[in-house]
Amino acid sequence: MKRLVSTILSVGLAVSGLLATDTHAATEQFKEKKYRVVEKNKEVTDLNILFENAKRGKSDLNEKQLQKLASKAELKADDKEPNSLNLNVETFETSQLLETREYEDGSVEKDYAITTFAIANEPTNTLSTVSDEGGSQNRYKWDSTLGVKAYSTVYYSIVSDPRGSKHWDITSVSGGWQIEDNTYILSGMKVVIGQNGWSYWGGIVTAQSVTKYPSSRTYSYTAPSSWVPVVASGSFMPTGSGVGMNSTVTIKRDSAHNTSSWTLSLTNNLGS
């Protein structure tokens, strides 16, 4: 894992601009620092457990850090389809602290995993036999919810530059889509990963993004090691800074049921 650490990232992240410093030198500077692990937690990867944690709003981030999350889901119907049905989409999110390291100079670095879920359903679907008391927070079960489900996890570190300013650094992402209703067909899967903003090691950084096209319903990608961290506050740029990913997929009903189609976009970002 790297020891370094935009406006909300969208499907079309900005890809212009040049880095102003030698990113390799910055990376090597952190690799040479000695540290000790002061906290290490086992990552929860079971989607059922993660989803229950997300419904309860469980988070290892403090309130100030939570305010910088910019996760959301959008579902857009294809206007060209005259008989398009409506779909609802709801999102849930949970965060985990994976490891805390203390360096010999006294600085502290933390690794987090942010997992976001989106569930797209027709309003008339009976989603679960679970009681609806308390609204949708209690209605859904990950392994029994009908419709289309998208999920993503962003792994990142919080590190300090030599002045003590906090920076974000994405290390990898993973996620996918699940279908519990076999009348839905998925296509056009796309994942955009990015890390842009102001950086101690690169000035205003706008070129750190990459687009992937998964060939299956699951994906896992590692961020380029050449990327430099960006400030966690976003206060150095009028448009703020952002670290994270966006996934999109086209949802279509099979021809035996309906020709309706939708685009489901899930954004999982740290940003301001």
Side-chain angles (χ1 to χ4, degrees), residues 6-10 13 70-71 152-156 168-170 172-173 191-196 208-210 223 227 230 241-247 266-271:
S6 64
T7 51
I8 294 177
L9 296 175
S10 64
L13 279 168
S71 301
S152 66
T153 299
V154 170
Y155 297 90
Y156 74 102
W168 288 315
D169 184 32
I170 193 170
S172 62
V173 302
V191 174
V192 180
I193 311 163
Q195 176 165 287
N196 292 293
Q208 296 184 155
S209 67
V210 62
W227 284 7
V230 297
S241 60
V243 174
M245 62 163 291
N246 176 278
S247 69
L266 177 59
T267 298
N268 188 352
N269 277 355
L270 325 168

PDB file of all heavy atoms in Angstrom, residues 6-10 13 70-71 152-156 168-170 172-173 191-196 208-210 223 227 230 241-247 266-271:
ATOM      1  N   SER A   6     -12.112  17.953  -6.463  1.00  0.00           N
ATOM      2  CA  SER A   6     -12.585  18.266  -7.711  1.00  0.00           C
ATOM      3  C   SER A   6     -13.967  18.582  -7.397  1.00  0.00           C
ATOM      4  O   SER A   6     -14.657  18.195  -6.544  1.00  0.00           O
ATOM      5  CB  SER A   6     -12.411  17.143  -8.710  1.00  0.00           C
ATOM      6  OG  SER A   6     -13.142  15.975  -8.420  1.00  0.00           O
ATOM      7  N   THR A   7     -14.052  19.028  -7.431  1.00  0.00           N
ATOM      8  CA  THR A   7     -15.479  18.976  -7.233  1.00  0.00           C
ATOM      9  C   THR A   7     -15.826  17.508  -7.194  1.00  0.00           C
ATOM     10  O   THR A   7     -15.005  16.672  -7.506  1.00  0.00           O
ATOM     11  CB  THR A   7     -16.203  19.652  -8.405  1.00  0.00           C
ATOM     12  OG1 THR A   7     -15.688  19.089  -9.594  1.00  0.00           O
ATOM     13  CG2 THR A   7     -15.972  21.147  -8.411  1.00  0.00           C
ATOM     14  N   ILE A   8     -17.064  17.173  -6.818  1.00  0.00           N
ATOM     15  CA  ILE A   8     -17.435  15.770  -6.743  1.00  0.00           C
ATOM     16  C   ILE A   8     -17.085  15.101  -8.056  1.00  0.00           C
ATOM     17  O   ILE A   8     -17.434  15.589  -9.124  1.00  0.00           O
ATOM     18  CB  ILE A   8     -18.935  15.627  -6.459  1.00  0.00           C
ATOM     19  CG1 ILE A   8     -19.244  16.159  -5.068  1.00  0.00           C
ATOM     20  CG2 ILE A   8     -19.379  14.185  -6.585  1.00  0.00           C
ATOM     21  CD1 ILE A   8     -20.712  16.130  -4.737  1.00  0.00           C
ATOM     22  N   LEU A   9     -16.397  13.943  -7.959  1.00  0.00           N
ATOM     23  CA  LEU A   9     -16.023  13.235  -9.174  1.00  0.00           C
ATOM     24  C   LEU A   9     -17.271  12.804  -9.920  1.00  0.00           C
ATOM     25  O   LEU A   9     -18.202  12.299  -9.330  1.00  0.00           O
ATOM     26  CB  LEU A   9     -15.195  11.984  -8.809  1.00  0.00           C
ATOM     27  CG  LEU A   9     -13.853  12.254  -8.142  1.00  0.00           C
ATOM     28  CD1 LEU A   9     -13.236  10.942  -7.734  1.00  0.00           C
ATOM     29  CD2 LEU A   9     -12.941  13.008  -9.061  1.00  0.00           C
ATOM     30  N   SER A  10     -17.278  12.997 -11.209  1.00  0.00           N
ATOM     31  CA  SER A  10     -18.395  12.577 -12.026  1.00  0.00           C
ATOM     32  C   SER A  10     -17.904  11.555 -13.027  1.00  0.00           C
ATOM     33  O   SER A  10     -16.738  11.181 -13.037  1.00  0.00           O
ATOM     34  CB  SER A  10     -18.994  13.782 -12.759  1.00  0.00           C
ATOM     35  OG  SER A  10     -18.034  14.310 -13.647  1.00  0.00           O
ATOM     36  N   LEU A  13     -14.511  12.814 -15.201  1.00  0.00           N
ATOM     37  CA  LEU A  13     -13.559  13.581 -14.401  1.00  0.00           C
ATOM     38  C   LEU A  13     -12.646  14.399 -15.304  1.00  0.00           C
ATOM     39  O   LEU A  13     -12.275  13.965 -16.397  1.00  0.00           O
ATOM     40  CB  LEU A  13     -12.699  12.623 -13.575  1.00  0.00           C
ATOM     41  CG  LEU A  13     -13.334  12.096 -12.294  1.00  0.00           C
ATOM     42  CD1 LEU A  13     -12.494  10.959 -11.749  1.00  0.00           C
ATOM     43  CD2 LEU A  13     -13.431  13.193 -11.269  1.00  0.00           C
ATOM     44  N   ALA A  70     -18.928  12.697  -0.031  1.00  0.00           N
ATOM     45  CA  ALA A  70     -19.831  13.213  -1.058  1.00  0.00           C
ATOM     46  C   ALA A  70     -20.375  12.059  -1.889  1.00  0.00           C
ATOM     47  O   ALA A  70     -20.289  12.062  -3.109  1.00  0.00           O
ATOM     48  CB  ALA A  70     -19.097  14.218  -1.942  1.00  0.00           C
ATOM     49  N   SER A  71     -20.914  11.065  -1.215  1.00  0.00           N
ATOM     50  CA  SER A  71     -21.423   9.897  -1.914  1.00  0.00           C
ATOM     51  C   SER A  71     -22.893  10.090  -2.281  1.00  0.00           C
ATOM     52  O   SER A  71     -23.663  10.676  -1.524  1.00  0.00           O
ATOM     53  CB  SER A  71     -21.268   8.655  -1.032  1.00  0.00           C
ATOM     54  OG  SER A  71     -19.915   8.452  -0.706  1.00  0.00           O
ATOM     55  N   SER A 152     -19.681  -0.079  -3.881  1.00  0.00           N
ATOM     56  CA  SER A 152     -18.284   0.257  -4.153  1.00  0.00           C
ATOM     57  C   SER A 152     -17.569   0.569  -2.853  1.00  0.00           C
ATOM     58  O   SER A 152     -18.180   1.069  -1.904  1.00  0.00           O
ATOM     59  CB  SER A 152     -18.177   1.462  -5.099  1.00  0.00           C
ATOM     60  OG  SER A 152     -18.669   2.641  -4.483  1.00  0.00           O
ATOM     61  N   THR A 153     -16.279   0.264  -2.823  1.00  0.00           N
ATOM     62  CA  THR A 153     -15.436   0.573  -1.672  1.00  0.00           C
ATOM     63  C   THR A 153     -14.215   1.350  -2.151  1.00  0.00           C
ATOM     64  O   THR A 153     -13.542   0.931  -3.100  1.00  0.00           O
ATOM     65  CB  THR A 153     -14.975  -0.696  -0.939  1.00  0.00           C
ATOM     66  OG1 THR A 153     -16.114  -1.408  -0.456  1.00  0.00           O
ATOM     67  CG2 THR A 153     -14.074  -0.341   0.242  1.00  0.00           C
ATOM     68  N   VAL A 154     -13.950   2.478  -1.495  1.00  0.00           N
ATOM     69  CA  VAL A 154     -12.755   3.280  -1.767  1.00  0.00           C
ATOM     70  C   VAL A 154     -11.795   3.107  -0.605  1.00  0.00           C
ATOM     71  O   VAL A 154     -12.167   3.333   0.555  1.00  0.00           O
ATOM     72  CB  VAL A 154     -13.109   4.766  -1.947  1.00  0.00           C
ATOM     73  CG1 VAL A 154     -11.840   5.616  -1.990  1.00  0.00           C
ATOM     74  CG2 VAL A 154     -13.925   4.972  -3.216  1.00  0.00           C
ATOM     75  N   TYR A 155     -10.574   2.702  -0.895  1.00  0.00           N
ATOM     76  CA  TYR A 155      -9.527   2.571   0.111  1.00  0.00           C
ATOM     77  C   TYR A 155      -8.599   3.778  -0.019  1.00  0.00           C
ATOM     78  O   TYR A 155      -8.122   4.083  -1.113  1.00  0.00           O
ATOM     79  CB  TYR A 155      -8.729   1.286  -0.100  1.00  0.00           C
ATOM     80  CG  TYR A 155      -9.546   0.023   0.052  1.00  0.00           C
ATOM     81  CD1 TYR A 155     -10.197  -0.541  -1.042  1.00  0.00           C
ATOM     82  CD2 TYR A 155      -9.680  -0.599   1.294  1.00  0.00           C
ATOM     83  CE1 TYR A 155     -10.963  -1.699  -0.907  1.00  0.00           C
ATOM     84  CE2 TYR A 155     -10.432  -1.761   1.444  1.00  0.00           C
ATOM     85  CZ  TYR A 155     -11.069  -2.306   0.333  1.00  0.00           C
ATOM     86  OH  TYR A 155     -11.830  -3.432   0.472  1.00  0.00           O
ATOM     87  N   TYR A 156      -8.347   4.453   1.094  1.00  0.00           N
ATOM     88  CA  TYR A 156      -7.494   5.630   1.033  1.00  0.00           C
ATOM     89  C   TYR A 156      -6.769   5.836   2.349  1.00  0.00           C
ATOM     90  O   TYR A 156      -7.136   5.265   3.380  1.00  0.00           O
ATOM     91  CB  TYR A 156      -8.308   6.875   0.682  1.00  0.00           C
ATOM     92  CG  TYR A 156      -9.181   7.402   1.799  1.00  0.00           C
ATOM     93  CD1 TYR A 156      -8.800   8.514   2.552  1.00  0.00           C
ATOM     94  CD2 TYR A 156     -10.378   6.784   2.111  1.00  0.00           C
ATOM     95  CE1 TYR A 156      -9.594   8.996   3.586  1.00  0.00           C
ATOM     96  CE2 TYR A 156     -11.185   7.256   3.141  1.00  0.00           C
ATOM     97  CZ  TYR A 156     -10.790   8.355   3.872  1.00  0.00           C
ATOM     98  OH  TYR A 156     -11.572   8.827   4.885  1.00  0.00           O
ATOM     99  N   TRP A 168      -5.351  13.530   1.414  1.00  0.00           N
ATOM    100  CA  TRP A 168      -5.956  12.243   1.074  1.00  0.00           C
ATOM    101  C   TRP A 168      -5.109  11.551   0.019  1.00  0.00           C
ATOM    102  O   TRP A 168      -4.531  12.193  -0.850  1.00  0.00           O
ATOM    103  CB  TRP A 168      -7.333  12.429   0.471  1.00  0.00           C
ATOM    104  CG  TRP A 168      -8.406  12.860   1.408  1.00  0.00           C
ATOM    105  CD1 TRP A 168      -8.671  12.382   2.656  1.00  0.00           C
ATOM    106  CD2 TRP A 168      -9.404  13.857   1.159  1.00  0.00           C
ATOM    107  NE1 TRP A 168      -9.765  13.014   3.194  1.00  0.00           N
ATOM    108  CE2 TRP A 168     -10.230  13.923   2.293  1.00  0.00           C
ATOM    109  CE3 TRP A 168      -9.679  14.696   0.077  1.00  0.00           C
ATOM    110  CZ2 TRP A 168     -11.315  14.795   2.381  1.00  0.00           C
ATOM    111  CZ3 TRP A 168     -10.750  15.559   0.163  1.00  0.00           C
ATOM    112  CH2 TRP A 168     -11.561  15.601   1.304  1.00  0.00           C
ATOM    113  N   ASP A 169      -5.087  10.215   0.065  1.00  0.00           N
ATOM    114  CA  ASP A 169      -4.384   9.454  -0.968  1.00  0.00           C
ATOM    115  C   ASP A 169      -5.134   8.156  -1.232  1.00  0.00           C
ATOM    116  O   ASP A 169      -5.150   7.257  -0.403  1.00  0.00           O
ATOM    117  CB  ASP A 169      -2.952   9.156  -0.530  1.00  0.00           C
ATOM    118  CG  ASP A 169      -2.157   8.458  -1.629  1.00  0.00           C
ATOM    119  OD1 ASP A 169      -2.419   8.724  -2.808  1.00  0.00           O
ATOM    120  OD2 ASP A 169      -1.282   7.640  -1.305  1.00  0.00           O
ATOM    121  N   ILE A 170      -5.773   8.043  -2.386  1.00  0.00           N
ATOM    122  CA  ILE A 170      -6.499   6.828  -2.741  1.00  0.00           C
ATOM    123  C   ILE A 170      -5.497   5.723  -3.061  1.00  0.00           C
ATOM    124  O   ILE A 170      -4.458   5.968  -3.670  1.00  0.00           O
ATOM    125  CB  ILE A 170      -7.435   7.096  -3.938  1.00  0.00           C
ATOM    126  CG1 ILE A 170      -8.414   5.938  -4.117  1.00  0.00           C
ATOM    127  CG2 ILE A 170      -6.646   7.348  -5.217  1.00  0.00           C
ATOM    128  CD1 ILE A 170      -9.531   6.249  -5.118  1.00  0.00           C
ATOM    129  N   SER A 172      -6.839   2.109  -3.664  1.00  0.00           N
ATOM    130  CA  SER A 172      -7.513   1.152  -4.545  1.00  0.00           C
ATOM    131  C   SER A 172      -9.023   1.305  -4.414  1.00  0.00           C
ATOM    132  O   SER A 172      -9.512   1.982  -3.502  1.00  0.00           O
ATOM    133  CB  SER A 172      -7.097  -0.290  -4.215  1.00  0.00           C
ATOM    134  OG  SER A 172      -7.474  -0.621  -2.890  1.00  0.00           O
ATOM    135  N   VAL A 173      -9.741   0.665  -5.320  1.00  0.00           N
ATOM    136  CA  VAL A 173     -11.201   0.648  -5.270  1.00  0.00           C
ATOM    137  C   VAL A 173     -11.679  -0.748  -5.647  1.00  0.00           C
ATOM    138  O   VAL A 173     -10.976  -1.500  -6.328  1.00  0.00           O
ATOM    139  CB  VAL A 173     -11.840   1.686  -6.228  1.00  0.00           C
ATOM    140  CG1 VAL A 173     -11.364   3.091  -5.906  1.00  0.00           C
ATOM    141  CG2 VAL A 173     -11.560   1.334  -7.681  1.00  0.00           C
ATOM    142  N   VAL A 191     -16.201   2.522 -14.751  1.00  0.00           N
ATOM    143  CA  VAL A 191     -15.689   2.983 -13.455  1.00  0.00           C
ATOM    144  C   VAL A 191     -14.661   4.080 -13.700  1.00  0.00           C
ATOM    145  O   VAL A 191     -13.731   3.899 -14.497  1.00  0.00           O
ATOM    146  CB  VAL A 191     -15.037   1.833 -12.659  1.00  0.00           C
ATOM    147  CG1 VAL A 191     -14.386   2.367 -11.384  1.00  0.00           C
ATOM    148  CG2 VAL A 191     -16.066   0.762 -12.317  1.00  0.00           C
ATOM    149  N   VAL A 192     -14.840   5.224 -13.040  1.00  0.00           N
ATOM    150  CA  VAL A 192     -13.877   6.322 -13.126  1.00  0.00           C
ATOM    151  C   VAL A 192     -13.280   6.540 -11.736  1.00  0.00           C
ATOM    152  O   VAL A 192     -14.013   6.701 -10.760  1.00  0.00           O
ATOM    153  CB  VAL A 192     -14.539   7.627 -13.611  1.00  0.00           C
ATOM    154  CG1 VAL A 192     -13.511   8.751 -13.683  1.00  0.00           C
ATOM    155  CG2 VAL A 192     -15.191   7.425 -14.965  1.00  0.00           C
ATOM    156  N   ILE A 193     -11.962   6.535 -11.649  1.00  0.00           N
ATOM    157  CA  ILE A 193     -11.238   6.736 -10.387  1.00  0.00           C
ATOM    158  C   ILE A 193     -10.459   8.042 -10.498  1.00  0.00           C
ATOM    159  O   ILE A 193      -9.856   8.323 -11.546  1.00  0.00           O
ATOM    160  CB  ILE A 193     -10.260   5.578 -10.115  1.00  0.00           C
ATOM    161  CG1 ILE A 193     -10.959   4.231 -10.281  1.00  0.00           C
ATOM    162  CG2 ILE A 193      -9.647   5.697  -8.714  1.00  0.00           C
ATOM    163  CD1 ILE A 193     -10.000   3.072 -10.423  1.00  0.00           C
ATOM    164  N   GLY A 194     -10.455   8.839  -9.442  1.00  0.00           N
ATOM    165  CA  GLY A 194      -9.735  10.097  -9.531  1.00  0.00           C
ATOM    166  C   GLY A 194      -9.280  10.641  -8.193  1.00  0.00           C
ATOM    167  O   GLY A 194      -9.789  10.263  -7.135  1.00  0.00           O
ATOM    168  N   GLN A 195      -8.302  11.523  -8.262  1.00  0.00           N
ATOM    169  CA  GLN A 195      -7.748  12.185  -7.072  1.00  0.00           C
ATOM    170  C   GLN A 195      -7.184  13.534  -7.521  1.00  0.00           C
ATOM    171  O   GLN A 195      -6.089  13.606  -8.055  1.00  0.00           O
ATOM    172  CB  GLN A 195      -6.661  11.307  -6.458  1.00  0.00           C
ATOM    173  CG  GLN A 195      -5.943  11.921  -5.259  1.00  0.00           C
ATOM    174  CD  GLN A 195      -5.165  10.874  -4.496  1.00  0.00           C
ATOM    175  OE1 GLN A 195      -5.724  10.046  -3.800  1.00  0.00           O
ATOM    176  NE2 GLN A 195      -3.842  10.882  -4.628  1.00  0.00           N
ATOM    177  N   ASN A 196      -7.955  14.574  -7.312  1.00  0.00           N
ATOM    178  CA  ASN A 196      -7.559  15.891  -7.811  1.00  0.00           C
ATOM    179  C   ASN A 196      -7.798  16.972  -6.772  1.00  0.00           C
ATOM    180  O   ASN A 196      -8.654  16.836  -5.901  1.00  0.00           O
ATOM    181  CB  ASN A 196      -8.328  16.222  -9.093  1.00  0.00           C
ATOM    182  CG  ASN A 196      -7.926  15.336 -10.259  1.00  0.00           C
ATOM    183  OD1 ASN A 196      -6.817  15.418 -10.743  1.00  0.00           O
ATOM    184  ND2 ASN A 196      -8.825  14.467 -10.675  1.00  0.00           N
ATOM    185  N   GLN A 208      -5.140  13.561 -12.469  1.00  0.00           N
ATOM    186  CA  GLN A 208      -5.072  12.234 -11.844  1.00  0.00           C
ATOM    187  C   GLN A 208      -6.431  11.543 -11.909  1.00  0.00           C
ATOM    188  O   GLN A 208      -7.207  11.538 -10.953  1.00  0.00           O
ATOM    189  CB  GLN A 208      -4.586  12.358 -10.394  1.00  0.00           C
ATOM    190  CG  GLN A 208      -3.177  12.892 -10.292  1.00  0.00           C
ATOM    191  CD  GLN A 208      -2.638  12.943  -8.879  1.00  0.00           C
ATOM    192  OE1 GLN A 208      -1.428  12.915  -8.662  1.00  0.00           O
ATOM    193  NE2 GLN A 208      -3.510  13.026  -7.874  1.00  0.00           N
ATOM    194  N   SER A 209      -6.728  10.942 -13.022  1.00  0.00           N
ATOM    195  CA  SER A 209      -7.957  10.159 -13.168  1.00  0.00           C
ATOM    196  C   SER A 209      -7.734   9.051 -14.177  1.00  0.00           C
ATOM    197  O   SER A 209      -6.875   9.156 -15.067  1.00  0.00           O
ATOM    198  CB  SER A 209      -9.131  11.039 -13.595  1.00  0.00           C
ATOM    199  OG  SER A 209      -8.932  11.525 -14.902  1.00  0.00           O
ATOM    200  N   VAL A 210      -8.494   7.986 -14.031  1.00  0.00           N
ATOM    201  CA  VAL A 210      -8.385   6.850 -14.936  1.00  0.00           C
ATOM    202  C   VAL A 210      -9.776   6.239 -15.094  1.00  0.00           C
ATOM    203  O   VAL A 210     -10.565   6.207 -14.146  1.00  0.00           O
ATOM    204  CB  VAL A 210      -7.377   5.804 -14.411  1.00  0.00           C
ATOM    205  CG1 VAL A 210      -7.813   5.237 -13.072  1.00  0.00           C
ATOM    206  CG2 VAL A 210      -7.161   4.702 -15.424  1.00  0.00           C
ATOM    207  N   ALA A 223      -4.942   2.237  -7.651  1.00  0.00           N
ATOM    208  CA  ALA A 223      -4.619   3.567  -8.167  1.00  0.00           C
ATOM    209  C   ALA A 223      -3.153   3.624  -8.592  1.00  0.00           C
ATOM    210  O   ALA A 223      -2.301   2.968  -7.983  1.00  0.00           O
ATOM    211  CB  ALA A 223      -4.891   4.624  -7.103  1.00  0.00           C
ATOM    212  N   TRP A 227       0.470   8.853  -8.529  1.00  0.00           N
ATOM    213  CA  TRP A 227      -0.434   9.907  -8.080  1.00  0.00           C
ATOM    214  C   TRP A 227       0.045  10.518  -6.770  1.00  0.00           C
ATOM    215  O   TRP A 227       0.524   9.811  -5.879  1.00  0.00           O
ATOM    216  CB  TRP A 227      -1.835   9.353  -7.881  1.00  0.00           C
ATOM    217  CG  TRP A 227      -2.576   9.119  -9.163  1.00  0.00           C
ATOM    218  CD1 TRP A 227      -2.076   9.219 -10.437  1.00  0.00           C
ATOM    219  CD2 TRP A 227      -3.946   8.734  -9.304  1.00  0.00           C
ATOM    220  NE1 TRP A 227      -3.035   8.926 -11.357  1.00  0.00           N
ATOM    221  CE2 TRP A 227      -4.201   8.629 -10.691  1.00  0.00           C
ATOM    222  CE3 TRP A 227      -4.963   8.471  -8.404  1.00  0.00           C
ATOM    223  CZ2 TRP A 227      -5.451   8.262 -11.189  1.00  0.00           C
ATOM    224  CZ3 TRP A 227      -6.214   8.108  -8.890  1.00  0.00           C
ATOM    225  CH2 TRP A 227      -6.444   8.019 -10.265  1.00  0.00           C
ATOM    226  N   VAL A 230      -3.770  14.810  -2.255  1.00  0.00           N
ATOM    227  CA  VAL A 230      -4.371  16.149  -2.340  1.00  0.00           C
ATOM    228  C   VAL A 230      -4.906  16.531  -0.963  1.00  0.00           C
ATOM    229  O   VAL A 230      -5.265  15.670  -0.167  1.00  0.00           O
ATOM    230  CB  VAL A 230      -5.492  16.208  -3.390  1.00  0.00           C
ATOM    231  CG1 VAL A 230      -4.944  15.931  -4.773  1.00  0.00           C
ATOM    232  CG2 VAL A 230      -6.623  15.244  -3.046  1.00  0.00           C
ATOM    233  N   SER A 241     -11.563  19.931  -3.511  1.00  0.00           N
ATOM    234  CA  SER A 241     -10.768  18.788  -3.931  1.00  0.00           C
ATOM    235  C   SER A 241     -11.614  17.536  -3.793  1.00  0.00           C
ATOM    236  O   SER A 241     -12.616  17.523  -3.088  1.00  0.00           O
ATOM    237  CB  SER A 241      -9.502  18.662  -3.084  1.00  0.00           C
ATOM    238  OG  SER A 241      -9.834  18.501  -1.715  1.00  0.00           O
ATOM    239  N   GLY A 242     -11.215  16.488  -4.468  1.00  0.00           N
ATOM    240  CA  GLY A 242     -11.989  15.263  -4.416  1.00  0.00           C
ATOM    241  C   GLY A 242     -11.147  14.031  -4.619  1.00  0.00           C
ATOM    242  O   GLY A 242     -10.183  14.039  -5.387  1.00  0.00           O
ATOM    243  N   VAL A 243     -11.499  12.985  -3.925  1.00  0.00           N
ATOM    244  CA  VAL A 243     -10.833  11.696  -4.042  1.00  0.00           C
ATOM    245  C   VAL A 243     -11.927  10.637  -4.042  1.00  0.00           C
ATOM    246  O   VAL A 243     -12.811  10.650  -3.184  1.00  0.00           O
ATOM    247  CB  VAL A 243      -9.879  11.446  -2.859  1.00  0.00           C
ATOM    248  CG1 VAL A 243      -9.300  10.042  -2.925  1.00  0.00           C
ATOM    249  CG2 VAL A 243      -8.759  12.475  -2.837  1.00  0.00           C
ATOM    250  N   GLY A 244     -11.891   9.748  -5.014  1.00  0.00           N
ATOM    251  CA  GLY A 244     -12.902   8.696  -5.004  1.00  0.00           C
ATOM    252  C   GLY A 244     -13.163   8.107  -6.361  1.00  0.00           C
ATOM    253  O   GLY A 244     -12.279   8.062  -7.220  1.00  0.00           O
ATOM    254  N   MET A 245     -14.395   7.681  -6.569  1.00  0.00           N
ATOM    255  CA  MET A 245     -14.737   6.969  -7.793  1.00  0.00           C
ATOM    256  C   MET A 245     -16.209   7.154  -8.136  1.00  0.00           C
ATOM    257  O   MET A 245     -17.028   7.551  -7.303  1.00  0.00           O
ATOM    258  CB  MET A 245     -14.446   5.478  -7.638  1.00  0.00           C
ATOM    259  CG  MET A 245     -15.258   4.816  -6.537  1.00  0.00           C
ATOM    260  SD  MET A 245     -15.282   3.033  -6.683  1.00  0.00           S
ATOM    261  CE  MET A 245     -16.280   2.865  -8.158  1.00  0.00           C
ATOM    262  N   ASN A 246     -16.524   6.846  -9.387  1.00  0.00           N
ATOM    263  CA  ASN A 246     -17.895   6.852  -9.862  1.00  0.00           C
ATOM    264  C   ASN A 246     -18.091   5.632 -10.749  1.00  0.00           C
ATOM    265  O   ASN A 246     -17.261   5.346 -11.610  1.00  0.00           O
ATOM    266  CB  ASN A 246     -18.178   8.137 -10.655  1.00  0.00           C
ATOM    267  CG  ASN A 246     -19.568   8.155 -11.256  1.00  0.00           C
ATOM    268  OD1 ASN A 246     -19.799   7.577 -12.304  1.00  0.00           O
ATOM    269  ND2 ASN A 246     -20.484   8.814 -10.581  1.00  0.00           N
ATOM    270  N   SER A 247     -19.175   4.895 -10.526  1.00  0.00           N
ATOM    271  CA  SER A 247     -19.496   3.749 -11.378  1.00  0.00           C
ATOM    272  C   SER A 247     -20.839   3.988 -12.051  1.00  0.00           C
ATOM    273  O   SER A 247     -21.735   4.593 -11.465  1.00  0.00           O
ATOM    274  CB  SER A 247     -19.535   2.454 -10.572  1.00  0.00           C
ATOM    275  OG  SER A 247     -20.656   2.441  -9.689  1.00  0.00           O
ATOM    276  N   LEU A 266     -23.323   5.595  -9.346  1.00  0.00           N
ATOM    277  CA  LEU A 266     -23.000   5.571  -7.912  1.00  0.00           C
ATOM    278  C   LEU A 266     -21.678   6.271  -7.697  1.00  0.00           C
ATOM    279  O   LEU A 266     -20.637   5.856  -8.203  1.00  0.00           O
ATOM    280  CB  LEU A 266     -22.925   4.132  -7.405  1.00  0.00           C
ATOM    281  CG  LEU A 266     -22.515   3.949  -5.942  1.00  0.00           C
ATOM    282  CD1 LEU A 266     -23.479   4.651  -5.002  1.00  0.00           C
ATOM    283  CD2 LEU A 266     -22.406   2.460  -5.589  1.00  0.00           C
ATOM    284  N   THR A 267     -21.705   7.354  -6.936  1.00  0.00           N
ATOM    285  CA  THR A 267     -20.504   8.123  -6.618  1.00  0.00           C
ATOM    286  C   THR A 267     -20.087   7.848  -5.179  1.00  0.00           C
ATOM    287  O   THR A 267     -20.901   7.913  -4.265  1.00  0.00           O
ATOM    288  CB  THR A 267     -20.756   9.632  -6.783  1.00  0.00           C
ATOM    289  OG1 THR A 267     -21.086   9.897  -8.152  1.00  0.00           O
ATOM    290  CG2 THR A 267     -19.523  10.443  -6.410  1.00  0.00           C
ATOM    291  N   ASN A 268     -18.822   7.535  -4.992  1.00  0.00           N
ATOM    292  CA  ASN A 268     -18.263   7.252  -3.663  1.00  0.00           C
ATOM    293  C   ASN A 268     -17.034   8.124  -3.503  1.00  0.00           C
ATOM    294  O   ASN A 268     -15.942   7.758  -3.920  1.00  0.00           O
ATOM    295  CB  ASN A 268     -17.914   5.760  -3.554  1.00  0.00           C
ATOM    296  CG  ASN A 268     -17.511   5.352  -2.149  1.00  0.00           C
ATOM    297  OD1 ASN A 268     -17.346   6.196  -1.272  1.00  0.00           O
ATOM    298  ND2 ASN A 268     -17.327   4.064  -1.926  1.00  0.00           N
ATOM    299  N   ASN A 269     -17.223   9.300  -2.915  1.00  0.00           N
ATOM    300  CA  ASN A 269     -16.160  10.299  -2.874  1.00  0.00           C
ATOM    301  C   ASN A 269     -15.908  10.855  -1.477  1.00  0.00           C
ATOM    302  O   ASN A 269     -16.808  10.958  -0.669  1.00  0.00           O
ATOM    303  CB  ASN A 269     -16.538  11.517  -3.724  1.00  0.00           C
ATOM    304  CG  ASN A 269     -16.231  11.328  -5.186  1.00  0.00           C
ATOM    305  OD1 ASN A 269     -15.643  10.328  -5.576  1.00  0.00           O
ATOM    306  ND2 ASN A 269     -16.631  12.265  -5.993  1.00  0.00           N
ATOM    307  N   LEU A 270     -14.680  11.287  -1.283  1.00  0.00           N
ATOM    308  CA  LEU A 270     -14.339  12.216  -0.232  1.00  0.00           C
ATOM    309  C   LEU A 270     -14.219  13.533  -0.975  1.00  0.00           C
ATOM    310  O   LEU A 270     -13.600  13.580  -2.022  1.00  0.00           O
ATOM    311  CB  LEU A 270     -12.994  11.873   0.400  1.00  0.00           C
ATOM    312  CG  LEU A 270     -12.679  10.379   0.492  1.00  0.00           C
ATOM    313  CD1 LEU A 270     -11.225  10.189   0.867  1.00  0.00           C
ATOM    314  CD2 LEU A 270     -13.583   9.723   1.490  1.00  0.00           C
ATOM    315  N   GLY A 271     -14.792  14.577  -0.519  1.00  0.00           N
ATOM    316  CA  GLY A 271     -14.711  15.805  -1.288  1.00  0.00           C
ATOM    317  C   GLY A 271     -15.290  16.979  -0.535  1.00  0.00           C
ATOM    318  O   GLY A 271     -15.917  16.820   0.500  1.00  0.00           O
TER     319      GLY A 271
END
